[in-house]
mmCIF file of all heavy atoms in Angstrom:
data_model
loop_
_atom_site.group_PDB
_atom_site.id
_atom_site.type_symbol
_atom_site.label_atom_id
_atom_site.label_comp_id
_atom_site.label_asym_id
_atom_site.label_seq_id
_atom_site.Cartn_x
_atom_site.Cartn_y
_atom_site.Cartn_z
ATOM 1 N N LEU O 172 -68.783 -15.814 -19.768
ATOM 2 C CA LEU O 172 -67.545 -15.839 -19.125
ATOM 3 C C LEU O 172 -67.279 -14.406 -18.470
ATOM 4 O O LEU O 172 -66.776 -14.389 -17.298
ATOM 5 C CB LEU O 172 -66.420 -16.160 -20.128
ATOM 6 C CG LEU O 172 -65.039 -16.265 -19.600
ATOM 7 C CD1 LEU O 172 -64.927 -17.461 -18.537
ATOM 8 C CD2 LEU O 172 -64.113 -16.576 -20.775
ATOM 9 N N LEU O 173 -67.544 -13.334 -19.230
ATOM 10 C CA LEU O 173 -67.379 -12.070 -18.634
ATOM 11 C C LEU O 173 -68.202 -11.840 -17.370
ATOM 12 O O LEU O 173 -67.689 -11.203 -16.407
ATOM 13 C CB LEU O 173 -67.765 -10.997 -19.604
ATOM 14 C CG LEU O 173 -66.878 -10.717 -20.866
ATOM 15 C CD1 LEU O 173 -67.458 -9.742 -21.769
ATOM 16 C CD2 LEU O 173 -65.471 -10.448 -20.408
ATOM 17 N N LYS O 174 -69.387 -12.322 -17.343
ATOM 18 C CA LYS O 174 -70.333 -12.163 -16.254
ATOM 19 C C LYS O 174 -69.673 -12.952 -15.014
ATOM 20 O O LYS O 174 -69.727 -12.396 -13.927
ATOM 21 C CB LYS O 174 -71.693 -12.687 -16.569
ATOM 22 C CG LYS O 174 -72.765 -12.463 -15.457
ATOM 23 C CD LYS O 174 -74.053 -13.024 -15.823
ATOM 24 C CE LYS O 174 -75.012 -12.734 -14.630
ATOM 25 N NZ LYS O 174 -76.270 -13.398 -14.788
ATOM 26 N N SER O 175 -69.185 -14.121 -15.285
ATOM 27 C CA SER O 175 -68.720 -14.902 -14.199
ATOM 28 C C SER O 175 -67.373 -14.214 -13.487
ATOM 29 O O SER O 175 -67.166 -14.136 -12.298
ATOM 30 C CB SER O 175 -68.352 -16.355 -14.565
ATOM 31 O OG SER O 175 -67.189 -16.375 -15.399
ATOM 32 N N ILE O 176 -66.553 -13.664 -14.452
ATOM 33 C CA ILE O 176 -65.425 -12.920 -13.898
ATOM 34 C C ILE O 176 -65.870 -11.650 -13.228
ATOM 35 O O ILE O 176 -65.295 -11.214 -12.220
ATOM 36 C CB ILE O 176 -64.407 -12.609 -15.075
ATOM 37 C CG1 ILE O 176 -63.823 -13.901 -15.595
ATOM 38 C CG2 ILE O 176 -63.315 -11.520 -14.704
ATOM 39 C CD1 ILE O 176 -63.029 -13.774 -16.856
ATOM 40 N N GLY O 177 -66.897 -11.007 -13.791
ATOM 41 C CA GLY O 177 -67.387 -9.815 -13.119
ATOM 42 C C GLY O 177 -67.931 -10.066 -11.716
ATOM 43 O O GLY O 177 -67.746 -9.303 -10.858
ATOM 44 N N GLU O 178 -68.529 -11.206 -11.547
ATOM 45 C CA GLU O 178 -68.983 -11.667 -10.234
ATOM 46 C C GLU O 178 -67.851 -11.949 -9.316
ATOM 47 O O GLU O 178 -67.959 -11.682 -8.078
ATOM 48 C CB GLU O 178 -70.015 -12.848 -10.363
ATOM 49 C CG GLU O 178 -71.289 -12.400 -10.957
ATOM 50 C CD GLU O 178 -72.284 -13.461 -11.347
ATOM 51 O OE1 GLU O 178 -71.841 -14.770 -11.124
ATOM 52 O OE2 GLU O 178 -73.346 -13.330 -11.779
ATOM 53 N N GLU O 179 -66.827 -12.564 -9.800
ATOM 54 C CA GLU O 179 -65.688 -12.947 -8.996
ATOM 55 C C GLU O 179 -64.890 -11.716 -8.603
ATOM 56 O O GLU O 179 -64.420 -11.601 -7.451
ATOM 57 C CB GLU O 179 -64.778 -13.914 -9.741
ATOM 58 C CG GLU O 179 -63.631 -14.410 -8.897
ATOM 59 C CD GLU O 179 -62.802 -15.497 -9.605
ATOM 60 O OE1 GLU O 179 -63.272 -15.914 -10.734
ATOM 61 O OE2 GLU O 179 -61.758 -15.793 -9.138
ATOM 62 N N TYR O 180 -64.672 -10.798 -9.551
ATOM 63 C CA TYR O 180 -63.903 -9.608 -9.309
ATOM 64 C C TYR O 180 -64.745 -8.414 -9.581
ATOM 65 O O TYR O 180 -64.630 -7.722 -10.623
ATOM 66 C CB TYR O 180 -62.675 -9.626 -10.219
ATOM 67 C CG TYR O 180 -61.718 -10.721 -10.073
ATOM 68 C CD1 TYR O 180 -61.576 -11.718 -11.043
ATOM 69 C CD2 TYR O 180 -60.964 -10.794 -8.914
ATOM 70 C CE1 TYR O 180 -60.735 -12.721 -10.886
ATOM 71 C CE2 TYR O 180 -60.007 -11.912 -8.809
ATOM 72 C CZ TYR O 180 -59.984 -12.791 -9.738
ATOM 73 O OH TYR O 180 -59.144 -13.942 -9.636
ATOM 74 N N ARG O 181 -65.649 -8.074 -8.653
ATOM 75 C CA ARG O 181 -66.433 -6.880 -8.826
ATOM 76 C C ARG O 181 -65.593 -5.583 -8.807
ATOM 77 O O ARG O 181 -64.602 -5.431 -8.130
ATOM 78 C CB ARG O 181 -67.501 -6.878 -7.813
ATOM 79 C CG ARG O 181 -68.521 -7.872 -7.775
ATOM 80 C CD ARG O 181 -69.766 -7.486 -7.019
ATOM 81 N NE ARG O 181 -70.713 -8.608 -7.080
ATOM 82 C CZ ARG O 181 -71.577 -8.718 -7.981
ATOM 83 N NH1 ARG O 181 -71.635 -7.932 -9.025
ATOM 84 N NH2 ARG O 181 -72.468 -9.722 -8.054
ATOM 85 N N THR O 182 -66.020 -4.598 -9.575
ATOM 86 C CA THR O 182 -65.320 -3.367 -9.528
ATOM 87 C C THR O 182 -65.538 -2.684 -8.090
ATOM 88 O O THR O 182 -66.652 -2.523 -7.704
ATOM 89 C CB THR O 182 -65.892 -2.355 -10.588
ATOM 90 O OG1 THR O 182 -65.713 -2.935 -11.858
ATOM 91 C CG2 THR O 182 -65.207 -0.983 -10.530
ATOM 92 N N VAL O 183 -64.456 -2.636 -7.382
ATOM 93 C CA VAL O 183 -64.514 -2.074 -6.023
ATOM 94 C C VAL O 183 -63.994 -0.702 -5.828
ATOM 95 O O VAL O 183 -63.918 -0.203 -4.661
ATOM 96 C CB VAL O 183 -63.778 -3.042 -5.060
ATOM 97 C CG1 VAL O 183 -64.492 -4.416 -5.048
ATOM 98 C CG2 VAL O 183 -62.276 -3.246 -5.432
ATOM 99 N N HIS O 184 -63.677 -0.106 -6.978
ATOM 100 C CA HIS O 184 -63.109 1.265 -6.871
ATOM 101 C C HIS O 184 -61.851 1.255 -6.001
ATOM 102 O O HIS O 184 -61.606 2.284 -5.164
ATOM 103 C CB HIS O 184 -64.115 2.359 -6.414
ATOM 104 C CG HIS O 184 -65.288 2.395 -7.413
ATOM 105 N ND1 HIS O 184 -65.171 2.942 -8.625
ATOM 106 C CD2 HIS O 184 -66.553 1.916 -7.307
ATOM 107 C CE1 HIS O 184 -66.376 2.871 -9.235
ATOM 108 N NE2 HIS O 184 -67.074 2.265 -8.490
ATOM 109 N N ARG O 185 -61.015 0.288 -6.134
ATOM 110 C CA ARG O 185 -59.658 0.263 -5.550
ATOM 111 C C ARG O 185 -58.847 -0.125 -6.696
ATOM 112 O O ARG O 185 -59.038 -1.045 -7.504
ATOM 113 C CB ARG O 185 -59.452 -0.733 -4.427
ATOM 114 C CG ARG O 185 -60.251 -0.300 -3.152
ATOM 115 C CD ARG O 185 -59.841 0.966 -2.581
ATOM 116 N NE ARG O 185 -58.433 1.085 -2.188
ATOM 117 C CZ ARG O 185 -57.903 0.922 -1.070
ATOM 118 N NH1 ARG O 185 -58.726 0.696 0.005
ATOM 119 N NH2 ARG O 185 -56.623 1.061 -0.792
ATOM 120 N N ALA O 186 -57.735 0.600 -6.911
ATOM 121 C CA ALA O 186 -56.942 0.589 -8.148
ATOM 122 C C ALA O 186 -56.423 -0.864 -8.502
ATOM 123 O O ALA O 186 -56.502 -1.300 -9.539
ATOM 124 C CB ALA O 186 -55.854 1.496 -8.082
ATOM 125 N N GLY O 187 -55.837 -1.431 -7.478
ATOM 126 C CA GLY O 187 -55.189 -2.813 -7.658
ATOM 127 C C GLY O 187 -56.292 -3.776 -8.047
ATOM 128 O O GLY O 187 -56.129 -4.584 -8.991
ATOM 129 N N GLU O 188 -57.409 -3.810 -7.376
ATOM 130 C CA GLU O 188 -58.472 -4.827 -7.778
ATOM 131 C C GLU O 188 -59.106 -4.562 -8.987
ATOM 132 O O GLU O 188 -59.439 -5.526 -9.683
ATOM 133 C CB GLU O 188 -59.475 -4.919 -6.525
ATOM 134 C CG GLU O 188 -58.910 -5.529 -5.273
ATOM 135 C CD GLU O 188 -58.287 -6.855 -5.540
ATOM 136 O OE1 GLU O 188 -59.004 -7.815 -6.026
ATOM 137 O OE2 GLU O 188 -57.096 -7.004 -5.203
ATOM 138 N N ASP O 189 -59.265 -3.291 -9.268
ATOM 139 C CA ASP O 189 -59.935 -2.939 -10.657
ATOM 140 C C ASP O 189 -58.935 -3.401 -11.776
ATOM 141 O O ASP O 189 -59.478 -3.808 -12.827
ATOM 142 C CB ASP O 189 -60.378 -1.469 -10.733
ATOM 143 C CG ASP O 189 -61.493 -1.225 -9.734
ATOM 144 O OD1 ASP O 189 -62.139 -2.131 -9.139
ATOM 145 O OD2 ASP O 189 -61.795 -0.002 -9.546
ATOM 146 N N ALA O 190 -57.696 -3.194 -11.656
ATOM 147 C CA ALA O 190 -56.706 -3.551 -12.554
ATOM 148 C C ALA O 190 -56.704 -5.128 -12.672
ATOM 149 O O ALA O 190 -56.575 -5.620 -13.793
ATOM 150 C CB ALA O 190 -55.320 -3.053 -12.254
ATOM 151 N N ARG O 191 -56.821 -5.824 -11.566
ATOM 152 C CA ARG O 191 -56.841 -7.230 -11.488
ATOM 153 C C ARG O 191 -57.999 -7.735 -12.338
ATOM 154 O O ARG O 191 -57.949 -8.811 -13.075
ATOM 155 C CB ARG O 191 -56.940 -7.800 -10.027
ATOM 156 C CG ARG O 191 -57.100 -9.342 -9.970
ATOM 157 C CD ARG O 191 -57.525 -9.864 -8.621
ATOM 158 N NE ARG O 191 -56.675 -9.305 -7.516
ATOM 159 C CZ ARG O 191 -55.559 -9.941 -7.098
ATOM 160 N NH1 ARG O 191 -55.090 -11.037 -7.755
ATOM 161 N NH2 ARG O 191 -54.862 -9.485 -6.150
ATOM 162 N N GLN O 192 -59.125 -7.091 -12.272
ATOM 163 C CA GLN O 192 -60.313 -7.562 -12.980
ATOM 164 C C GLN O 192 -60.060 -7.475 -14.564
ATOM 165 O O GLN O 192 -60.316 -8.444 -15.250
ATOM 166 C CB GLN O 192 -61.568 -6.660 -12.673
ATOM 167 C CG GLN O 192 -62.768 -7.200 -13.437
ATOM 168 C CD GLN O 192 -63.974 -6.275 -13.163
ATOM 169 O OE1 GLN O 192 -63.873 -5.130 -12.989
ATOM 170 N NE2 GLN O 192 -65.132 -6.984 -13.035
#
Side-chain angles (χ1 to χ4, degrees):
L172 186 61
L173 291 176
K174 183 177 179 188
S175 70
I176 291 170
E178 289 170 359
E179 184 177 351
Y180 300 109
R181 293 198 181 276
T182 300
V183 294
H184 298 289
R185 290 302 301 261
E188 289 306 305
D189 292 352
R191 177 191 307 272
Q192 182 182 39

